[in-house]
Structure formats: C-alpha cells, structure tokens
Amino acid sequence: EAQVTQNPRYLITVTGKKLTVTCSQNMNHEYMSWYRQDPGLGLRQIYYSMNVEVTDKGDVPEGYKVSRKEKRNFPLILESPSPNQTSLYFCASSPLGTGSAGELFFGEGSRLTVL
Amino acid sequence: AQSVTQLGSHVSVSEGALVLLRCNYSSSVPPYLFWYVQYPNQGLQLLLKYTSAATLVKGINGFEAEFKKSETSFHLTKPSAHMSDAAEYFCAVSSGAGSYQLTFGKGTKLSVIP
C-alpha cells in the first residue's frame, strides 16, 4: 500500500530533550516536506527537500533540522525542543513532474507536546 | 508572494443541503489551486486541483470548485451534504506549473447536522 509513515504518532517530552520524528514513504517520491498544524493557523511549512541531499527552509524553520540521506526518508529533528514547538506535525511527499506539482501525499501526523 | 483566505473557520449545514466553502487567493502569477480535506485524526488528502485548464474542476466524493479569475476565488461546493463530509477543508495555492510550494489557508471545519 502506498503510504507516508510517521513515527511516533504521539509524543510528550520535556524542554531541551532532543527528539527525532521519522518520515518514510514507499512511493519513490522525490519531493518531501514537513508541516506543522496549529489551531487557527492552518499548515505552515517547516522544511522541504526536492531530492536526496537537497533541503531548503520553509516558512517556519527555526528550531528544526532535517536531513535527506535516502530518497525514502526525511526525518525532522528538534535539537532542543521548546513549548512553542508543541504542535501537530505532518510529513508529505510528491513525485516530481509538472502534472503532479502540488499533489501531496500526507502521513497521518505526529502530535508532539513539549512540557 | 501568494496567500489564501478562507472565509469562515466553521460552517454548519444540514444533511442534504448545499455545501459552500469559500476561498479567495492572491498570487502575482497564474496560480494552481487546490482543496485538501482532513478527516478527524488523519492526514490531509487531495480533493481536487485547478491547473489552468477547465475552470470548473470536479473532485472526489461529489465535490467541485470553480476558478473565477475576476473574483480571485476558488470556492468549493457540493450539492447535497452527507454526514461523512464532516471534516476540515483547506484551500491552497501554488505559483503554477513546476512549483511544489503550497501556501495553505487556515482551514474551514465543516459540520453536518442530521
């Protein structure tokens, strides 16, 4: 089954404790992206990657890191989480190609709480 | 720069009634426009998209949207609401062909009253 898989789905942590949210897709997509969803703010892009070893900042990159060493994986790293990073996080992927631009496949989300 | 405004953070309709969710966009280039749906505790999934071909776009589950350049609008409609349509709907804009960067609206939560 074609899917984007995120782990963990739920996490409660404390300020300053490094954590990684993994994202893996099995559709051989080149494009991958991380978003955060907050009530009343919609989805905001954190980082994106057009292909292996190519990453770039989105609209709200502060406090986050990413890497793209393999095509299928795009982990999101919070080096020193703070309470304002409490949010619902989504990973998404898309194949490259004019016809598919903007057609994102989303994971089910990771709800993160930072105390 | 591009932006999306969704009018109404929460819309309630009766089962069987018309669904109308409003989206206005701003873009300096001919846009691509999208509607995504998010069911409770799930990720977003694409409902439909406009890519400068037909202005009336049909999507899944009986939804459609009409691109109106003069009004900079891309409203989502469905003739008859079902209980299963209860979800949050997001309008999004990109700067056209080849652009993978979407700007999302803040979302409209649709409730369907039996």
Side-chain angles (χ1 to χ4, degrees), chain B residues 14-92:
Chain B
S14 297
E15 193 174 15
L18 171 72
V19 176
L20 170 60
L21 303 182
R22 300 178 187 273
C23 173
N24 288 90
Y25 71 90
S26 171
S27 179
S28 56
V29 297
Y32 278 15
L33 292 156
F34 306 81
W35 277 99
Y36 279 83
V37 59
Q38 182 181 28
Y39 297 104
N41 299 314
Q42 294 186 26
L44 283 72
Q45 62 184 83
L46 182 66
L47 204 53
L48 50 80
K49 72 173 185 179
Y50 165 78
T51 59
S52 76
T55 56
L56 183 62
V57 181
K58 295 188 184 299
I60 61 173
N61 300 335
F63 283 92
E64 63 182 35
E66 186 172 8
F67 173 73
K68 291 188 177 180
K69 184 178 179 180
S70 61
E71 299 177 9
T72 60
S73 69
F74 190 57
H75 301 332
L76 181 71
T77 61
K78 182 174 180 178
S80 176
H82 296 154
M83 296 298 294
S84 59
D85 295 327
E88 190 157 18
Y89 293 80
F90 292 91
C91 183

Side-chain angles (χ1 to χ4, degrees), chain A residues 6-11 19 21 33-46 60 64 76 78 82-92 106-114, chain B residues 38-44 88 90:
Chain A
Q6 299 178 222
N7 280 296
R9 294 287 313 281
Y10 302 91
L11 179 63
L19 69 92
V21 185
S33 181
W34 276 102
Y35 296 87
R36 61 178 288 173
Q37 182 180 19
D38 301 290
L41 296 179
L43 275 80
R44 294 178 292 167
Q45 189 179 49
I46 303 171
V60 289
Y64 305 95
L76 179 69
L78 285 73
S82 63
N84 64 11
Q85 292 179 297
T86 292
S87 188
L88 179 58
Y89 292 86
F90 287 102
C91 181
F106 282 83
E108 293 191 316
S110 295
R111 186 168 293 280
L112 171 65
T113 301
V114 183
Chain B
Q38 182 181 28
Y39 297 104
N41 299 314
Q42 294 186 26
L44 283 72
E88 190 157 18
F90 292 91

Side-chain angles (χ1 to χ4, degrees), chain A residues 20-73:
Chain A
T20 299
V21 185
T22 64
C23 174
S24 181
Q25 50 94 6
N26 62 0
M27 295 168 281
N28 202 37
H29 288 171
E30 292 85 0
Y31 179 88
M32 297 187 75
S33 181
W34 276 102
Y35 296 87
R36 61 178 288 173
Q37 182 180 19
D38 301 290
L41 296 179
L43 275 80
R44 294 178 292 167
Q45 189 179 49
I46 303 171
Y47 270 95
Y48 66 96
S49 170
M50 297 298 289
N51 216 323
V52 176
E53 301 292 1
V54 180
T55 63
D56 210 343
K57 296 178 180 179
D59 298 318
V60 289
E62 295 78 19
Y64 305 95
K65 286 176 58 177
V66 293
S67 67
R68 188 90 182 274
K69 294 184 172 60
E70 304 167 283
K71 196 173 187 179
R72 64 184 293 133
N73 296 323

